[in-house]
Amino acid sequence: MSFEYYTNWWIASKKQLENLWIRDEIFRKKAKPINDRCLANMLIGGMYAKYSMLVQDIDACLDQMAQPQKRTTVRKLMDAATIRLTEMSNELKKIDLSEFHYIDGSLIELKLVPYDVEILHPALFFPRPIEVEEMWQKIQKGERIFSIPIPEEETAVPIEEENKEEVEAVPIPIDVKKSKEKKDRRPKPVIVEEAPKLSEEDEKELKRKQIITEAVKLIQIAERARQERLYFHIKNLIHHRKKTAIAAAQVHGNKALQAAENTEDLTAPLIKIQSLWRGFSARELMKAKEIERRLLIGMYEPPWKSKIEKETFERNLEKRREYRDQRIKEYIDSIDKEKARILRVVAPGLMEDIGDEIREWFHVWYREAKLFDKYPPEEKGGTILVVRGETMTPKEYLDEYERKRKEKMKAGGADKLKEKEKKEKLKKQEEERKKKEAEKKKKEAAAKAKKKKKKGGEYEFEYIETAGKPVYEKGIEEHQNIWDQRNEIENPLEKHYMDMITEQKCYEVQLEVRYKIDELMRLELEMLEEALEEDKIRLKGKKGKPKKKKKKPKKKRGKKGKKDPTANRTTEDLFQELFDNGIIRTYPHVRLDEYKGDFSYKNWDLRNQDFDPPATLLDVRQAIVMNCIMPMGVETMKRPKSVLIVGPRQSGKHLLANAIFNETHSVLFDLSPAITAGKYPGPKGMKMFLHLISKMSRLLAPSIIYFDGAEKIFYKKVPKEEKEMDPKRIGKKLVKGIIKTITPADRVLVLGISGKPWTGQAGKMKKAFEKNILIPRPDYNSIYLYWQDLLMSYNGIDRNFNITALTKVTTNYPLPVLKTVLEEIMTTRRIIQLRYNPLTVQEIYERFISQGLEPITDKEYKKFLQWYKKTPLGREKAAFNKWADAKREAEAKQKEKATKKK
């Protein structure tokens, strides 16, 4: 798609964002607290759906936008929309007490389906620094990014393995010239030497060999010609015999027809055969036309779909991305060059101008007040405050001095004035303390009231101001001040604007230069103050005491920063070390849409009746996007630090984990017990290991710290076969050493997957993982669609195959099991037989019985449900379900009493 297309798309998306934001603000100001969960779901669900579609639009525009300076502004608006979307998701979580949301009522009003609001492949991720991205790409290709340099003294001649023992036995002196020759292993150019002159005997022998080869070639040619003539003769005989046979058949056929005319007994069978054949062929033709019509209107699943359009579209997107990356690199190069030019050309004159400006400030103060003002502190900006007019003028200083002098006179002295000021300060402090205590009590009372309501199953929704408001306002202001003033159609190549770079770099260079000049001017001011003091002493005629040098104010001691034990090592070195140890590893290319399933279309109605229906597979997919993928794409926000994905056997946990790695473009730190066993032993080794993980995960962000079998690091009792691995070693330090150190600015996520979470200590797992996502058993809808995809990929299978019956008998079976069973049945021989021996439901189900395959039973899945009820969200949901059951029982009793009275 063209530059003009994406520009128009962005303009439309920006208008939509502004309108939606204004509407959101109006709701926030006018909306009253809502106590009805269904009503709150309708209100938030509608906004959630609109923000979901808007985020997808802005995401597509940002992904294909090549103008690097405009991308920073669009990124801010993208962050604001994403923050608001995640807030809506969290609010729906509070309403439904679940990680899975159902907004069917809002979707019906907006005339949408769940697939319209699903965000599958967001591309809203901040690029890493170029050096880090190049390192990661080299690692993925299998290249080394760091090797230990070997000093020249230690280099020796390479020894072949065969002669290694002999060389070790007999010491051989090393020749420097030979070692250098052996070291250079590059292929040398081949030199073609002149052919040596042959003797008479050699020439005769060569001629004899040439005669023999020519004779052999002649014999071979003659033999091949003979074989071709023989082959042609045989083919000619066959053709002649066929011709004579056809002629004889025609003669005999004419005779048979003459005989048939005389006999009426042969006509009836011929007509019968012809009518049956014509009826069969007509039915087959009608059947083929009906299948073609149903395929055309989408009633049947075609066995093959063309991917040309999709592949072409993906190629075009990749071309635009390459073009975008090229423009970003050009922009970075231009910034470096422009800054170097400004430092070379503008900085010297700028230093003189700033110095003269500060000296003029000194002169004005001395002329008007006969003293010098305090130099503005470096932390607040130095002399920039003077330029902005944020410091006191000489006149203001004199007025203030006169006011204080009069107050002293009234108070009766300096001591009484100080006491009065102290009392006023203490009074203000006491008032502030009382205000804070009152606010704290109000908050505690509100929290208690909310807790009481939650216990009763009631709910109260309040429309709170979004955390993305400052980001949105800054982005809109930038867009209005910069991009609304420029005609972007005049820049179809989407190149950077040099005037913006020059303006920005001039400002930065001015700050740098002013900082250096301020250091010099502080020294000059000290000298001027000393000279002024000497002049005052000289005029008064007193011998001045030597002035004590002012001690620099001691900086407040904060917490000592931790020493970096790897400060002397490069990023490449640490990266390569973790990769060699298997901690950092590559991952297979998996897309999120490979996780198959369907949405639930009845859960919204059931939840409105206060029931707790099980989720479906695509509900899990959307929960993964909102909790693991989308937050990683925002620069700074309150995002979940850790997520645990739990599910039964073959439920797709690893597939989802790999999809998260790919969709976030993260560097993977695999801390699974099987990987870390035996590495970095002892307390010191563990301390260094945690330091490396914390440091490198931030440097290489976005990063994911991954645990396969997360319950193992919190085992209640370690199995005998796993004691050697010491899986609990890292679990003791995980919360304090890694999770608590993650800040909102760090795009780092701790991700765990577990198939037996009940074997771990519930309390420690609760502290370690903020969010828990339970994958449900495959439901009827998901299995139906999965069977349809599998079966309809075979051309010979009837399009009217009874998938409904097959789905009913295979409900709760893991999806990989279904695929494996069908692949075992559909051998090459069986595919050929489909035309005359169609596939049946019985044949497939018999394979399940013969192999003894079992579904995920209620008993097996009940363990997961019992574990989930112990999680914070599970406890809230269990309490609500208990309240809802009691409420339904009370309503049922009331109905019974009413019917009895009637």
Side-chain angles (χ1 to χ4, degrees):
M1 284 179 266
S2 65
F3 156 74
E4 188 178 352
Y5 177 86
Y6 282 109
T7 303
N8 293 332
W9 194 0
W10 161 242
I11 291 167
S13 300
K14 178 178 166 289
K15 285 181 181 177
Q16 189 180 353
L17 175 61
E18 288 175 344
N19 295 334
L20 191 56
W21 201 272
I22 290 166
R23 187 180 176 187
D24 201 359
E25 284 291 312
I26 292 167
F27 270 128
R28 187 183 65 80
K29 290 175 182 177
K30 294 186 177 181
K32 295 179 181 179
I34 301 170
N35 296 322
D36 188 0
R37 289 180 185 271
C38 299
L39 187 59
N41 183 287
M42 286 288 289
L43 176 63
I44 298 298
M47 299 297 288
Y48 175 83
K50 289 175 182 177
Y51 270 108
S52 294
M53 293 188 293
L54 181 62
V55 164
Q56 292 178 66
D57 289 343
I58 302 176
D59 178 41
C61 294
L62 184 61
D63 180 39
Q64 298 298 304
M65 189 177 288
Q67 216 290 332
Q69 292 156 310
K70 190 177 179 181
R71 282 176 61 83
T72 56
T73 304
V74 177
R75 167 66 66 181
K76 288 170 186 172
L77 296 175
M78 182 74 206
D79 286 355
T82 308
I83 289 168
R84 190 61 183 141
L85 179 64
T86 52
E87 286 174 350
M88 296 284 182
S89 177
N90 292 333
E91 200 58 49
L92 284 170
K93 174 187 167 183
K94 291 177 186 176
I95 293 168
D96 298 329
L97 300 175
S98 173
E99 296 289 352
F100 312 116
H101 315 317
Y102 303 103
I103 54 170
D104 296 18
S106 303
L107 294 178
I108 291 166
E109 283 187 1
L110 296 170
K111 297 180 180 178
L112 299 172
V113 295
Y115 292 96
D116 293 331
V117 298
E118 184 185 21
I119 303 169
L120 261 184
H121 306 293
L124 47 94
F125 299 103
F126 282 86
R128 295 185 185 90
I130 295 171
E131 305 82 20
V132 176
E133 188 62 32
E134 286 176 355
M135 283 193 290
W136 179 229
Q137 287 176 1
K138 285 180 181 178
I139 287 287
Q140 287 177 318
K141 291 175 184 175
E143 300 176 12
R144 290 189 67 83
I145 59 173
F146 182 82
S147 56
I148 300 169
I150 302 170
E152 292 182 1
E153 295 176 0
E154 295 179 7
T155 56
V157 182
I159 301 169
E160 293 180 4
E161 290 182 3
E162 295 177 0
N163 302 326
K164 196 171 183 181
E165 294 177 3
E166 296 177 7
V167 173
E168 287 175 355
V170 182
I172 299 171
I174 298 170
D175 190 0
V176 177
K177 291 182 180 179
K178 287 183 180 180
S179 65
K180 286 182 179 178
E181 288 173 4
K182 287 189 176 183
K183 209 185 288 179
D184 189 8
R185 293 177 176 272
R186 291 176 294 179
K188 295 179 180 179
V190 180
I191 301 168
V192 181
E193 298 180 357
E194 294 182 359
K197 293 182 179 179
L198 299 173
S199 60
E200 291 181 3
E201 293 179 359
D202 292 336
E203 286 180 357
K204 287 179 182 178
E205 182 65 25
L206 187 62
K207 285 180 182 178
R208 189 181 68 82
K209 288 180 179 178
Q210 287 176 352
I211 291 165
I212 291 169
T213 53
E214 287 175 2
V216 169
K217 284 180 182 178
L218 187 64
I219 293 166
Q220 286 177 346
I221 291 165
E223 177 61 22
R224 287 179 186 133
R226 187 186 70 78
Q227 288 178 2
E228 288 293 328
R229 286 193 295 274
L230 182 62
Y231 176 75
F232 176 77
H233 178 66
I234 292 166
K235 285 286 183 183
N236 193 22
L237 282 175
I238 293 168
H239 178 68
H240 181 68
R241 285 173 184 170
K242 282 183 179 179
K243 200 172 181 180
T244 53
I246 290 166
Q250 284 178 354
V251 172
H252 288 297
N254 291 333
K255 290 179 181 178
L257 286 171
Q258 288 173 6
E261 287 176 358
N262 297 328
T263 57
E264 295 179 358
D265 296 337
L266 296 175
T267 56
L270 289 171
I271 293 167
K272 188 70 174 176
I273 291 167
Q274 287 174 354
S275 64
L276 287 171
W277 171 252
R278 285 171 183 162
F280 173 75
S281 60
R283 285 191 297 275
E284 287 293 314
L285 182 63
M286 290 293 290
K287 187 179 178 182
K289 284 184 178 180
E290 180 64 16
I291 289 171
E292 187 178 351
R293 187 177 70 82
R294 287 176 178 264
L295 286 169
L296 186 65
I297 62 177
M299 287 184 70
Y300 284 160
E301 188 74 20
W304 176 83
K305 292 179 182 178
S306 175
K307 294 182 180 178
I308 295 171
E309 292 182 3
K310 185 180 178 183
E311 289 171 357
T312 306
F313 179 70
E314 289 292 336
R315 279 198 301 271
N316 291 336
L317 290 180
E318 283 301 321
K319 283 180 184 177
R320 287 277 304 178
R321 289 183 186 122
E322 289 173 7
Y323 183 75
R324 176 198 69 193
D325 296 341
Q326 182 187 347
R327 286 282 175 261
I328 291 171
K329 286 179 182 177
E330 289 173 2
Y331 173 61
I332 293 167
D333 293 341
S334 298
I335 287 173
D336 296 337
K337 289 176 182 176
E338 186 64 15
K339 187 173 182 180
R341 187 190 70 80
I342 291 169
L343 285 169
R344 187 177 65 254
V345 177
V346 181
L350 193 62
M351 291 178 77
E352 291 180 7
D353 294 341
I354 293 171
D356 293 342
E357 184 184 41
I358 295 170
R359 288 189 186 96
E360 179 62 24
W361 177 57
F362 293 162
H363 180 68
V364 169
W365 264 86
Y366 180 72
R367 188 181 66 228
E368 295 184 9
K370 300 301 178 184
L371 50 83
F372 300 106
D373 191 15
K374 290 181 181 178
Y375 211 94
E378 181 186 324
E379 299 80 23
K380 293 182 179 179
T383 51
I384 291 174
L385 300 176
V386 178
V387 177
R388 291 176 183 168
E390 295 179 8
T391 58
M392 190 179 287
T393 62
K395 189 181 178 183
E396 289 172 349
Y397 170 79
L398 292 171
D399 292 342
E400 183 68 17
Y401 179 79
E402 186 65 23
R403 186 185 63 79
K404 284 182 179 179
R405 190 183 67 79
K406 288 178 180 178
E407 284 181 357
K408 276 184 187 179
M409 294 287 290
K410 285 181 182 179
D415 295 336
K416 288 184 179 180
L417 183 65
K418 285 180 182 178
E419 286 179 8
K420 190 178 180 182
E421 286 175 353
K422 279 183 181 179
K423 285 178 181 179
E424 287 177 356
K425 279 184 181 179
L426 291 170
K427 193 176 181 181
K428 284 181 181 179
Q429 287 175 0
E430 187 67 23
E431 287 175 358
E432 287 178 1
R433 188 180 63 78
K434 285 180 179 179
K435 280 183 181 179
K436 285 180 181 178
E437 285 181 0
E439 287 176 2
K440 192 177 179 181
K441 285 178 181 178
K442 280 183 182 179
K443 286 180 181 178
E444 287 176 358
K448 285 179 181 178
K450 283 184 180 179
K451 282 181 181 178
K452 284 179 183 178
K453 285 182 180 179
K454 281 182 182 178
K455 284 179 183 177
E458 296 178 5
Y459 172 77
E460 183 175 331
F461 166 70
E462 292 181 2
Y463 221 79
I464 303 168
E465 189 172 346
T466 173
K469 189 177 180 180
V471 185
Y472 171 79
E473 288 175 349
K474 193 174 180 181
I476 286 291
E477 186 182 354
E478 273 186 25
H479 205 285
Q480 288 173 351
N481 295 337
I482 300 171
W483 302 108
D484 287 352
Q485 311 300 325
R486 293 178 185 266
N487 187 5
E488 296 176 60
I489 304 299
E490 294 177 358
N491 185 17
L493 298 177
E494 299 186 81
K495 291 187 175 181
H496 53 268
Y497 295 104
M498 279 305 299
D499 60 325
M500 291 176 66
I501 295 174
T502 305
E503 185 180 349
Q504 183 186 359
K505 291 297 132 186
C506 279
Y507 177 71
E508 290 177 6
V509 168
Q510 186 183 2
L511 292 178
E512 290 177 13
V513 169
R514 188 173 287 277
Y515 174 74
K516 291 176 182 177
I517 293 294
D518 280 353
E519 290 179 354
L520 296 172
M521 288 294 111
R522 281 190 180 91
L523 297 173
E524 191 171 325
L525 181 61
E526 286 179 10
M527 293 169 66
L528 288 170
E529 285 176 343
E530 286 175 4
L532 183 63
E533 285 294 324
E534 287 175 3
D535 288 346
K536 284 180 180 179
I537 292 164
R538 185 170 52 79
L539 289 170
K540 287 179 181 179
K542 295 178 182 178
K543 289 183 180 180
K545 294 179 183 178
K547 191 178 178 183
K548 294 180 181 179
K549 291 184 179 179
K550 290 182 180 178
K551 292 181 180 179
K552 292 183 179 179
K554 291 182 180 180
K555 293 182 179 178
K556 290 182 179 179
R557 287 186 180 180
K559 290 183 179 179
K560 288 184 179 180
K562 291 182 181 179
K563 290 183 180 179
D564 186 356
T566 57
N568 60 337
R569 296 177 65 184
T570 61
T571 306
E572 291 86 351
D573 183 12
L574 299 175
F575 200 159
Q576 190 66 55
E577 180 187 330
L578 290 172
F579 182 75
D580 292 341
N581 285 328
I583 306 299
I584 292 178
R585 67 171 176 86
T586 56
Y587 39 81
H589 181 72
V590 177
R591 288 171 61 89
L592 195 60
D593 55 9
E594 292 178 26
Y595 187 78
K596 303 292 184 182
D598 194 14
F599 290 102
S600 173
Y601 303 101
K602 63 178 182 179
N603 284 4
W604 184 72
D605 295 320
L606 292 172
R607 278 196 177 173
N608 287 346
Q609 298 170 16
D610 294 333
F611 287 101
D612 184 22
T616 58
L617 297 184
L618 285 202
D619 295 333
V620 174
R621 193 166 78 179
Q622 189 62 4
I624 291 293
V625 171
M626 294 309 302
N627 291 304
C628 303
I629 298 175
M630 289 291 287
M632 295 282 280
V634 183
E635 187 175 13
T636 302
M637 69 169 289
K638 190 180 178 182
R639 55 173 67 87
K641 296 180 181 180
S642 53
V643 178
L644 179 65
I645 302 173
V646 177
R649 53 188 167 88
Q650 294 183 307
S651 57
K653 300 183 290 293
H654 291 87
L655 190 148
L656 286 171
N658 286 321
I660 293 168
F661 306 151
N662 281 279
E663 296 295 343
T664 54
H665 307 289
S666 297
V667 176
L668 173 61
F669 294 79
D670 193 346
L671 305 191
S672 305
I675 301 292
T676 57
K679 292 166 186 173
Y680 300 96
K684 289 184 178 179
M686 192 65 195
K687 191 176 180 181
M688 173 60 74
F689 181 52
L690 292 173
H691 165 73
L692 286 174
I693 296 300
S694 297
K695 180 179 179 179
M696 293 303 293
S697 62
R698 285 165 178 78
L699 288 174
L700 307 178
S703 307
I704 290 179
I705 300 168
Y706 172 65
F707 293 92
D708 186 2
E711 77 282 353
K712 294 179 181 180
I713 60 175
F714 301 110
Y715 263 142
K716 292 177 182 175
K717 186 178 180 182
V718 181
K720 289 182 180 179
E721 61 272 13
E722 294 184 18
K723 280 186 178 179
E724 291 182 2
M725 293 194 303
D726 192 11
K728 295 176 70 174
R729 184 169 70 111
I730 196 168
K732 298 171 185 176
K733 305 286 184 179
L734 177 62
V735 177
K736 288 185 179 179
I738 296 176
I739 294 174
K740 281 190 176 179
T741 60
I742 299 171
T743 63
D746 300 329
R747 287 178 294 132
V748 180
L749 175 69
V750 177
L751 178 68
I753 63 171
S754 175
K756 295 178 180 179
W758 53 85
T759 59
Q761 297 173 6
K764 291 184 177 180
M765 290 181 77
K766 175 187 169 183
K767 287 180 182 178
F769 297 102
E770 289 181 17
K771 298 208 172 187
N772 303 279
I773 298 173
L774 176 60
I775 302 174
R777 292 183 290 181
D779 56 296
Y780 178 87
N781 292 2
S782 301
I783 289 179
Y784 183 92
L785 291 178
Y786 195 68
W787 271 125
Q788 190 175 28
D789 287 343
L790 292 176
L791 292 167
M792 295 302 116
S793 61
Y794 296 96
N795 194 26
I797 291 178
D798 185 11
R799 301 293 109 176
N800 287 318
F801 187 87
N802 193 358
I803 299 175
T804 303
L806 182 61
T807 304
K808 284 181 178 178
V809 296
T810 56
T811 303
N812 294 334
Y813 277 94
L815 299 187
V817 172
L818 310 184
K819 187 177 181 180
T820 306
V821 167
L822 189 64
E823 285 175 353
E824 289 175 359
I825 293 170
M826 299 305 290
T827 60
T828 307
R829 183 185 292 276
R830 187 68 186 88
I831 292 168
I832 295 168
Q833 295 173 355
L834 286 174
R835 187 168 181 81
Y836 57 86
N837 183 15
L839 187 71
T840 61
V841 175
Q842 185 179 359
E843 183 181 352
I844 296 172
Y845 191 61
E846 280 177 359
R847 183 61 65 100
F848 280 88
I849 296 168
S850 63
Q851 292 185 359
L853 300 173
E854 293 184 359
I856 301 167
T857 59
D858 294 339
K859 185 180 179 181
E860 184 180 349
Y861 192 65
K862 193 176 180 181
K863 292 180 181 179
F864 291 92
L865 293 175
Q866 287 175 347
W867 171 84
Y868 188 75
K869 285 178 182 178
K870 295 176 183 177
T871 62
L873 193 61
R875 284 178 180 174
E876 288 183 29
K877 191 65 178 177
F880 177 79
N881 291 339
K882 191 175 180 182
W883 171 83
D885 292 339
K887 183 184 174 183
R888 279 191 290 272
E889 285 178 8
E891 287 175 356
K893 287 179 181 178
Q894 285 179 0
K895 283 183 181 179
E896 284 180 8
K897 287 180 181 178
T899 51
K900 285 178 181 179
K901 285 180 181 179
K902 288 181 180 179

